[in-house]
Amino acid sequence: MTMQEKAAGRVASVMQEDRVFPPPAEFSSRARIGSMAAYQKLYDEAKNDLEGFWHARAQTLPWSTPYAKVLDWNPPHAKWFVGGRINASAACLDHQIATGKGGKTALVWVGEPTGERREFTFEQLHAEVCRVAAGLQKLGIQPGQVVSIYMPMTPELVIAMLACARIGAVHSVIFGGFSSEAIADRNQDAKAVAVITADGGWRRGAQLPLKKNVDDALKSAAHEPTSVKNVIVLKRTGQAVDMVAGRDVWWHDLVAGQPADTPPVAMDSEAPLFILYTSGSTGKPKGIKHTTGGYILWAKTTAEWVFDLRDDDLFWCTADCGWITGHSYVTYGPLAAGASILIYEGAPNAPHEGRFWEIIEQEKPTIFYTAPTAIRSFMKWGMQHIEGHDLSSLRLLGTVGEGINPEAWIWYHEVIGGKRCPIVDTWWQTETGGIMMSPLPGCTPTKPGSCTLPLPGVCPEIVDAAGHPVEKGEGGWLVMTKPWPGMLRGIWGDDARFVETYWSRVPGKYLAGDNARQDKDGYYWIMGRIDDVLNVAGHRLSTIEIESALVSHPSVAEAAAVGRPHDVKGEAVAVFVTLRDGEPTDALKDVLRKHVRHQIGALAAPDDIHFTASLPKTRSGKIMRRLLRDIAAGKETVGDTTTLEDYSVLAKLRGDQE
Ligand code: WTA
């Protein structure tokens, strides 16, 4: 038995395509979309009249100026709700207050040191956001300017995002696990004028040096001169930090005496709301640009459909706001839908492996949305951490970030969901702004491992390399044939790369970068990336980025990074390195791991380092990644190697493995 099966105490080995879980009747009777017929009707409505469909839904948003046109589609450039003006923070806060939800809980926060807890009503959250917004305006931050946010998962992170949105500044959230070099890259690319950070953050009882990382980023010689004029620092851990006079200001000083009713700036529907950097197959991370009106409508509508939000729900999405999931389903989606959110600062295994279940027992969330890699960890840690905790508040479970293996799905369904909670396996991307394919909990029968069907307004197709649709059952590239309100509007500062990456290989269609297959029932099964992007514990990493980080070390001549299967993380990072000088020792492996941490962040540190005399390449000089992947996975080398430039390279590599 595998580790997961042992943890689950059962063997799940059925043909998953034929294993179907119907939606529970209790759900269907109350759901917004409560039958497949209702889903099909909505789907067809959107397909036949895309603009009319979104026009009807956009009426639920608080526009300060109505739009003149729903969609201006000039492929690949889309403008949604042309001419309309709206503020995303007002859609999340002021609108809820205006519709009688001011006293409702908006946000519950649980801190890492046990016992810390804070709660905000929509009115209280609004007041905090207004104070920070006024403080940022006082610093001179203008609409359209970029503000980086590098913070621990505290209420202030959500508040900072909404405060930027309120004044029309474009936020660029940088995950707290990224290094100073990664911060410097992002600040430079976005020309950020300010950084909002904290002295530190808690992680498994240790203090992260967040302010120090920002200081180092602003001193980075490779990124001079910096565009950053101000650093705002939240006091979180109380650790000692250097404050630079004239540049740095404490959060509590910034907000002191500021009004609790700063008016929202009415932004053009197509004004950028945020940038979020993500890894692609080439070069540095790209700043994915999302705009205001279409994004907020997409985040809100998809949250309502997929999580079937009800007024008394408490929604716990475990993602950090450093990722798109934290943007769309911690902050914007649920709050714009008027739902209450739960956020937690720490790791699931600190101070013990039952922390999440303890939180569920105490806070009683009704919806729990997490990543398959986390589920596989829970399975590994064992039942003893779960048994005895009351999880009966849960009514719906979700997953995101990577495909979920059927064993983990069934474990999640039985152990966490008590067999009563439907599971929504949601497929989407940083670029799509929100969920694209997912079961709807009141209607779609689910199959473990499939994200099932597209949401209304989403038009996927699976095509071959020539761009022709493939037959059902055959694999191919996943593309989208029509625009949707939450789609990315570009790559920050690089329109040519936007056109090339997403719209050129299959002209006129959005190339998602994933392989997929449709089964006989039309259900979609995602089969992994078509490019050199790795998915390590649900995080997107570029092989090229890791290779560049390695090559920037003086001892390294050449490097190739590939993924290999990993029980918990899904994929692990394996690298093959040829040395310029130095000995291929374990000590050097440690040095290289640290170097990658410094260049990118801990999440990119290689799991395996193989030293080799040279790398296998094709005659045209391309690294033979497929071969390296097989070697990294410990498989017998397969495939056509006749184009190998130097067979001896392969022999040496194999020797290195043995
Ligand atoms: C993968 C995360 C299978 C996929 C929201 C996609 C998935 C990439 C799923 C985007 C899923 C995400 N099933 N694969 N349910 N969800 N992926 O931008 O390869 O961090 O292209 O967005 O994650 O990752 P990103």
Side-chain angles (χ1 to χ4, degrees):
M1 281 205 294
T2 66
M3 176 188 76
Q4 284 100 337
E5 288 160 355
K6 271 187 212 141
R10 63 187 59 82
V11 180
S13 60
V14 281
M15 280 293 293
Q16 299 303 336
E17 250 184 49
D18 297 323
R19 180 141 195 201
V20 180
F21 290 74
E26 185 271 340
F27 248 89
S28 313
S29 63
R30 287 187 59 183
R32 283 162 206 262
I33 307 173
S35 67
M36 281 309 272
Y39 160 77
Q40 198 59 51
K41 186 165 166 278
L42 267 190
Y43 192 84
D44 292 343
E45 228 177 277
K47 195 168 171 191
N48 299 332
D49 178 13
L50 196 66
E51 293 186 35
F53 183 83
W54 288 115
H55 175 57
R57 269 140 205 94
Q59 300 315 302
T60 62
L61 290 180
W63 297 95
S64 42
T65 306
Y67 49 87
K69 196 172 175 211
V70 175
L71 172 64
D72 190 349
W73 179 221
N74 185 11
H77 297 103
K79 288 186 183 149
W80 282 89
F81 309 114
V82 184
R85 298 190 87 84
I86 189 166
N87 183 284
S89 91
C92 293
L93 303 170
D94 308 54
H95 181 63
Q96 311 311 339
I97 297 168
T99 53
K101 288 186 173 174
K104 177 178 169 171
T105 301
L107 186 158
V108 177
W109 171 77
V110 175
E112 196 203 80
T114 326
E116 268 192 295
R117 180 186 191 279
R118 288 157 72 198
E119 195 170 326
F120 298 74
T121 62
F122 277 97
E123 252 156 24
Q124 290 164 335
L125 195 63
H126 173 262
E128 292 300 321
V129 168
C130 285
R131 289 192 188 100
V132 178
L136 295 175
Q137 281 174 330
K138 204 172 154 203
L139 289 177
I141 295 170
Q142 300 291 322
Q145 289 187 324
V146 176
V147 175
S148 295
I149 300 178
Y150 182 70
M151 295 181 84
M153 201 53 192
T154 52
E156 283 78 7
L157 171 45
V158 174
I159 291 167
M161 291 165 77
L162 292 169
C164 288
R166 197 160 189 89
I167 66 167
V170 182
H171 60 69
S172 163
V173 185
I174 304 170
F175 174 59
F178 280 117
S179 68
S180 53
E181 283 300 295
I183 304 169
D185 280 346
R186 286 157 175 75
N187 282 343
Q188 185 178 51
D189 187 76
K191 302 191 180 60
V193 296
V195 180
I196 308 181
T197 188
D199 50 357
W202 292 106
R203 194 76 184 166
R204 297 194 179 89
Q207 293 178 17
L208 303 174
L210 299 180
K211 172 65 164 64
K212 180 172 184 309
N213 289 348
V214 171
D215 289 342
D216 291 348
L218 299 185
K219 279 189 280 201
S220 165
H223 299 84
E224 279 188 329
T226 180
S227 50
V228 174
K229 308 265 181 315
N230 289 109
V231 179
I232 297 118
V233 188
L234 175 76
K235 190 167 257 178
R236 168 70 191 117
T237 58
Q239 70 206 64
V241 293
D242 294 331
M243 294 293 279
V244 175
R247 186 194 75 179
D248 299 356
V249 49
W250 286 105
W251 175 290
H252 51 262
D253 291 334
L254 182 86
V255 299
Q258 296 298 345
D261 59 354
T262 310
V265 177
M267 298 303 291
D268 189 278
S269 178
E270 280 300 331
L273 175 61
F274 66 85
I275 319 172
L276 187 58
Y277 283 84
T278 189
S279 294
S281 51
T282 52
K284 295 255 182 209
K286 46 198 180 189
I288 302 299
K289 178 169 87 175
H290 283 289
T291 59
T292 309
Y295 171 81
I296 200 79
L297 181 63
W298 190 247
K300 169 182 181 283
T301 311
T302 54
E304 288 170 344
W305 282 339
V306 174
F307 302 107
D308 190 32
L309 292 170
R310 300 174 186 170
D311 200 41
D312 55 358
D313 272 324
L314 177 61
F315 181 34
W316 186 11
C317 165
T318 67
D320 190 285
C321 285
W323 310 110
I324 190 69
T325 308
H327 283 62
S328 304
Y329 302 107
V330 170
T331 305
Y332 291 108
L335 293 179
S340 310
I341 59 169
L342 170 64
I343 63 174
Y344 171 52
E345 179 183 22
N349 55 352
H352 54 76
E353 278 93 356
R355 186 71 175 120
F356 272 19
W357 322 120
E358 191 174 81
I359 292 174
I360 291 180
E361 182 165 341
Q362 282 162 7
E363 302 297 340
K364 306 197 177 357
T366 52
I367 306 171
F368 181 67
Y369 187 37
T370 197
T373 183
I375 297 168
R376 292 191 296 266
S377 298
F378 305 146
M379 291 167 76
K380 191 173 108 184
W381 295 337
M383 291 299 293
Q384 70 276 20
H385 302 291
I386 304 166
E387 276 160 359
H389 288 295
D390 178 8
L391 307 182
S392 63
S393 62
L394 295 173
R395 67 178 191 89
L396 175 62
L397 304 175
T399 68
V400 59
E402 57 180 312
I404 177 164
N405 47 309
E407 292 77 11
W409 194 103
I410 289 176
W411 183 91
Y412 196 34
H413 174 68
E414 294 185 350
V415 177
I416 305 304
K419 296 190 185 167
R420 67 180 188 282
C421 304
I423 296 179
V424 288
D425 172 351
T426 63
W427 177 86
W428 59 294
Q429 309 177 290
T430 306
E431 291 88 340
T432 68
I435 297 167
M436 300 290 276
M437 297 203 272
S438 169
L440 297 177
C443 66
T444 320
T446 48
K447 299 183 189 186
S450 167
C451 59
T452 74
L453 297 169
L455 298 184
V458 173
C459 301
E461 203 170 76
I462 300 174
V463 301
D464 61 21
H468 302 126
V470 301
E471 298 288 320
K472 267 192 190 155
E474 275 179 39
W477 296 345
L478 178 63
V479 297
M480 299 294 148
T481 62
K482 289 197 181 161
W484 64 99
M487 67 197 281
L488 79 163
R489 300 299 197 273
I491 293 177
W492 196 253
D494 198 346
D495 194 56
R497 190 173 172 197
F498 167 66
V499 174
E500 202 211 284
T501 310
Y502 303 105
W503 303 94
S504 300
R505 273 164 87 179
V506 185
K509 294 178 182 173
Y510 169 78
L511 182 73
D514 281 344
N515 275 310
R517 177 174 66 81
Q518 249 186 314
D519 70 16
K520 59 183 188 312
D521 298 323
Y523 276 37
Y524 287 82
W525 298 75
I526 304 293
M527 293 154 47
R529 301 283 306 183
I530 64 177
D531 50 19
D532 291 325
V533 171
L534 306 182
N535 192 327
V536 177
H539 298 146
R540 264 167 81 167
L541 290 174
S542 142
T543 50
I544 311 271
E545 220 185 322
I546 299 170
E547 289 162 6
S548 310
L550 284 165
V551 172
S552 73
H553 189 276
S555 298
V556 175
E558 262 194 316
V562 296
R564 69 151 168 90
H566 187 279
D567 264 356
V568 173
K569 297 200 277 189
E571 255 183 322
V573 180
V575 300
F576 294 82
V577 171
T578 66
L579 293 179
R580 194 183 294 279
D581 53 40
E583 289 301 308
T585 58
D586 283 347
L588 183 57
K589 285 187 182 177
D590 282 346
V591 168
L592 294 180
R593 273 198 190 96
K594 280 207 188 94
H595 184 71
V596 176
R597 273 170 194 262
H598 180 71
Q599 293 291 314
I600 307 174
L603 70 170
D607 294 86
D608 314 331
I609 299 182
H610 303 283
F611 291 116
T612 173
S614 49
L615 293 171
K617 291 187 184 156
T618 61
R619 283 189 197 284
S620 61
K622 278 186 145 184
I623 291 172
M624 301 184 77
R625 290 174 185 283
R626 190 188 43 180
L627 191 64
L628 293 180
R629 272 197 291 271
D630 286 346
I631 295 170
K635 280 193 220 159
E636 196 55 39
T637 301
V638 290
D640 173 20
T641 56
T642 51
T643 48
L644 267 183
E645 191 183 35
D646 175 1
Y647 285 86
S648 65
V649 169
L650 180 58
K652 279 183 208 145
L653 267 169
R654 279 173 160 167
D656 183 64
Q657 282 289 299
E658 280 153 8

